[in-house]
Amino acid sequence: MHLITRADDELYGLASAAGKLGWAPKLLARLADARRADPADPGAAARYALALMAALPSLGVEFEAHARFTDTIDALGQALRLDPDNWLARYSRARLRALIPSSYGAYSVQASGS
């Protein structure tokens, strides 16, 4: 089981602050690069997903925000495929899915089946 570590807490705070300051894209790009460098690394997948989730509140309500919301749920799913015992990723994905409005198009249909 993956427990929340100080590093998780610090990354969440960093990504949240980066989002508020407009620096989230640079941080997320670095974490995405690390994730792509080793697709089988559950830690890299979990760090990327956690940072995506932390940056969500700083996004607007335009279409790009919806895409980021979906990307975050997908990233959390990838982290869970690599480490099924990561309860933080499991909780985070469930929380985000619960926030999807029923009118949110195709993803609300996909979310019910996985």
Side-chain angles (χ1 to χ4, degrees), residues 48-110:
Y48 176 67
L50 184 63
L52 278 173
M53 185 165 173
L56 278 175
S58 65
L59 298 173
V61 294
E62 62 276 348
F63 181 75
E64 182 181 321
H66 291 288
R68 186 66 58 98
F69 194 82
T70 302
D71 290 346
T72 302
I73 292 173
D74 290 343
L76 289 164
Q78 180 189 20
L80 284 170
R81 282 188 295 280
L82 295 170
D83 181 10
D85 292 332
N86 187 328
W87 72 269
L88 178 58
R90 185 169 306 281
Y91 167 80
S92 299
R93 185 178 68 166
R95 180 174 176 251
L96 290 178
R97 282 181 171 176
L99 296 175
I100 295 175
S102 60
S103 62
Y104 184 62
Y107 194 80
S108 60
V109 173
Q110 292 175 8

Side-chain angles (χ1 to χ4, degrees), residues 6-48:
R6 184 178 183 105
D8 294 331
D9 189 45
E10 289 174 356
L11 176 59
Y12 193 92
L14 175 67
S16 178
K20 292 172 186 168
L21 296 171
W23 299 339
K26 186 175 182 178
L27 174 64
L28 294 172
R30 284 186 178 200
L31 292 170
D33 289 345
R35 181 177 138 209
R36 281 190 294 273
D38 187 0
D41 179 9
R47 284 187 297 275
Y48 176 67

